[in-house]
Each structure stands twice: as structure tokens, then as C-alpha cells.
Amino acid sequence: LMLYGEGPSPLWWSYLSAPHRLAATAMPLSKDDVSGIETVAHYTHDEDQAYLMLYGEGVFETIPIEADYTVGDMKLWLNFHKGKDPAEYDLVGPKGCWKMGAGSEVLGDEVVISEVMGERFENKWLMQLSLFPKKKSEASGQWESTFETIEEWVPPPPEEAWDEEDDDEEKWKKDVEKSEADN
């Protein structure tokens, strides 16, 4: 694969760095494949390797990922390394393609992580998928999602984002006390 005569595209080399498969074939990872994916103790930015944080439901792990890894691959990793039953949780990520305020949604097993993470993957910034528990329906006995899709969020303009009451410590303490009393 040549890009403007400059030699092989960097993305092509990331496909080759996953010897178990090429992205074009999109074959799911096997148990042998996921058994070799080790967590990193302390994430630091790496220009050559993308990392994904899996967070929630007793899991807080960061692992290296390749361009063709899917949500289903991450569920297999979670099952193998953490004993998580994929029927009992959803993996949640950006709605559509990542951008600031993109919103969040449950991602299907076939979703390719690098495609929904977009520039986060391309620039090798730390990415995150969140585990959300499902609940078992009393009526059907089936596991049902507890996550509600979050639409795109746009922050308010600065003049509306803060007011003088935000610096009122006494008001804050009263709000905390009221919140604790309500729970």
C-alpha cells in the first residue's frame, strides 16, 4: 500500500503488527490471541502503540490494541482475563465517531474500535470503553441493558457556565448535606 509515493502507509504497518490477522479480513481474536494481551501498569503516551482503558464493574485495566480490534475482541479479553460474562454487561463508547462531547452509546460486538475512536486512535491517545452492568429481567430472565444513550453534549458558553454562587462554600456544604440526607 503506497501513500503518495512515500512508501508504505503507517496504518498499513499497524495492521501488520497484529500477526494473527489483517484488518481487511476482520477475523475475531481467538482465546490464544487475547491470552497474550498483557495490561500495562502505568500508561504513558506511545507514538507507536495505541492503548485502550477498560473501566467499570471492578475492572480498571489498560491494554495495547491494534487497528482491527473490535468490541467483541475486548469482551473476549475481559472474559479470559477477568472472568466477565459478556451477557452481563455492555461496553459503552463514543456515539458515532469520537469528538469532544460526542455522546455515548452501547457498542455492538462488530464495531471496530479504531473507527469509533477516530483521531484518538490515529494519534495514539489513550482511549476508553466503559463497562455498564445489565440487569436480569424478572419477567423474561434475560439480561437487559441499563445504559441510556447520551446524545451529543455541547458545553454552555463561559458566561453561563459559572456564577458567583459557585464560590459560595456555605451554599455548597448545605447542598452536600441535603444530598446526603436525600440518600
Side-chain angles (χ1 to χ4, degrees):
L1 180 68
M2 300 294 275
L3 184 64
Y4 306 110
E6 296 177 8
S9 158
L11 192 54
W12 174 249
W13 289 112
S14 71
Y15 296 155
L16 292 178
S17 68
H20 53 273
R21 64 190 179 154
L22 293 176
T25 61
M27 298 291 296
L29 292 175
S30 69
K31 282 187 179 183
D32 285 343
D33 295 328
V34 298
S35 72
I37 300 174
E38 299 290 330
T39 61
V40 293
H42 304 286
Y43 167 79
T44 56
H45 180 76
D46 183 335
E47 292 183 11
D48 298 321
Q49 178 63 60
Y51 289 92
L52 176 72
M53 181 190 319
L54 297 166
Y55 178 72
E57 290 303 286
V59 174
F60 187 70
E61 302 292 350
T62 301
I63 61 173
I65 67 166
E66 301 300 333
D68 57 345
Y69 285 14
T70 66
V71 169
D73 293 334
M74 296 304 94
K75 287 182 176 181
L76 182 61
W77 187 91
L78 286 161
N79 182 261
F80 184 87
H81 289 276
K82 298 295 180 181
K84 293 287 185 187
D85 181 347
E88 297 178 9
Y89 66 90
D90 288 316
L91 278 178
V92 173
K95 185 172 184 191
C97 187
W98 183 89
K99 66 179 181 176
M100 191 63 86
S104 301
E105 66 185 351
V106 173
L107 301 176
D109 289 355
E110 72 289 345
V111 170
V112 177
I113 296 165
S114 64
E115 291 176 8
V116 295
M117 293 298 179
E119 69 175 302
R120 290 201 74 80
F121 182 86
E122 293 165 17
N123 293 314
K124 307 297 188 266
W125 298 333
L126 183 61
M127 299 163 280
Q128 176 182 327
L129 294 181
S130 300
L131 286 78
F132 271 79
K134 292 182 178 180
K135 67 177 182 179
K136 201 166 207 175
S137 166
E138 292 179 23
S140 69
Q142 299 294 315
W143 289 96
E144 297 176 347
S145 183
T146 61
F147 184 79
E148 294 183 23
T149 298
I150 299 170
E151 298 301 325
E152 183 173 345
W153 179 79
V154 179
E159 63 274 7
E160 294 175 22
W162 177 87
D163 63 38
E164 291 176 7
E165 290 183 10
D166 291 337
D167 281 344
D168 186 344
E169 186 175 350
E170 290 304 315
K171 180 183 180 301
W172 175 79
K173 287 178 181 178
K174 288 178 185 174
D175 289 345
V176 169
E177 288 174 12
K178 181 181 183 312
S179 176
E180 289 174 349
D182 291 344
N183 293 327

